[in-house]
Amino acid sequence: MDQPQLQTALKHYTQAYQQLYKKTPRDLRMLENDWVYVNGARMRVAELEFLTHQLQLEYSRELDARRGVVNRLIGWLDQH
């Protein structure tokens, strides 16, 4: 993987992590041959991209849950 693609993968992971956990990843750095170091774990970039996707899905589920609470509250207020 070339350097710009690797940097993009790291950037997307950082954004997803910050959205979900409201903080930056503890340790994030590029290693050699498509390997990265993330929060104490060494992984391939493909694994990082998968992890990023999982964080994005979790964030979406969290948003959906919040919307559900707000919609139930609005419905309850409309009835009273």
Side-chain angles (χ1 to χ4, degrees):
M1 180 175 283
D2 61 15
Q3 200 71 8
Q5 287 177 311
L6 181 56
Q7 289 176 342
T8 299
L10 291 172
K11 178 183 169 188
H12 288 164
Y13 173 80
T14 299
Q15 290 170 340
Y17 190 94
Q18 286 175 330
Q19 277 185 323
L20 186 59
Y21 298 116
K22 310 295 187 253
K23 61 182 181 179
T24 57
R26 189 178 62 215
D27 191 10
L28 184 63
R29 56 191 148 112
M30 295 181 277
L31 302 174
E32 71 287 337
N33 300 327
D34 293 342
W35 286 90
V36 293
Y37 190 79
V38 180
N39 291 337
R42 183 179 174 197
M43 64 182 74
R44 291 211 174 265
V45 174
E47 295 169 309
L48 179 65
E49 290 171 337
F50 178 78
L51 181 58
T52 299
H53 181 69
Q54 295 300 322
L55 292 176
Q56 291 166 338
L57 288 174
E58 183 64 28
Y59 182 71
S60 292
R61 284 191 288 266
E62 186 179 293
L63 284 181
D64 289 344
R66 287 183 198 168
R67 284 187 199 109
V69 169
V70 169
N71 287 334
R72 285 193 302 274
L73 179 60
I74 290 171
W76 183 83
L77 290 172
D78 284 344
Q79 293 174 358
H80 293 88

